[in-house]
Amino acid sequence: MSSFGRVFRVTTFGESHCKSVGCIIDGCPAMMNLTEADIQPQLTRRRPGQSRITTPRNEADIVTIRSGTERGMTLGTPIALTVDNKNVRPGDYKEMSLVPRPD
């Protein structure tokens, strides 16, 4: 996992070759408006398959809020977001298993 921040903290998890990726957002106050529709435009903007320097996979990258909101409002508890990978092909990363990666 990778975490950033202290008061407002974001922790990411998952890999592109696994079933999903996501993040936990901690430190968001209660009663803020937040739905998938608020987040989705940012995922759509960085979606793969849109240029020659990104992966050619054309994945939808649809965000799902798993916890931390109710009826479109934050609860003041950690917010869990996931993006399911529909095109899981771990064999595509076989060569990378021998390359040192940062922790």
Side-chain angles (χ1 to χ4, degrees):
M1 285 199 286
S2 299
S3 297
F4 306 92
R6 293 182 186 214
V7 175
F8 183 84
R9 189 170 185 81
V10 176
T11 302
T12 62
F13 61 86
E15 298 84 25
S16 60
H17 59 278
C18 292
K19 291 183 181 181
S20 65
V21 296
C23 72
I24 306 293
I25 302 168
D26 196 8
C28 192
M31 303 306 293
M32 289 182 60
N33 292 319
L34 183 67
T35 66
E36 286 95 346
D38 297 314
I39 301 163
Q40 190 59 51
Q42 297 305 314
L43 286 177
T44 301
R45 184 175 63 85
R46 55 129 323 259
R47 190 175 52 127
Q50 298 188 87
S51 77
R52 63 179 180 80
I53 61 171
T54 64
T55 179
R57 293 184 188 179
N58 191 3
E59 297 186 43
D61 285 351
I62 304 296
V63 68
T64 302
I65 298 176
R66 300 286 179 185
S67 65
T69 67
E70 192 170 300
R71 286 180 244 128
M73 302 291 285
T74 60
L75 300 173
T77 59
I79 300 166
L81 309 172
T82 60
V83 176
D84 291 338
N85 290 325
K86 306 289 186 205
N87 191 3
V88 178
R89 298 187 320 224
D92 288 358
Y93 299 88
K94 190 175 183 179
E95 292 176 18
M96 292 298 292
S97 67
L98 303 174
V99 177
R101 310 254 334 233
D103 289 338

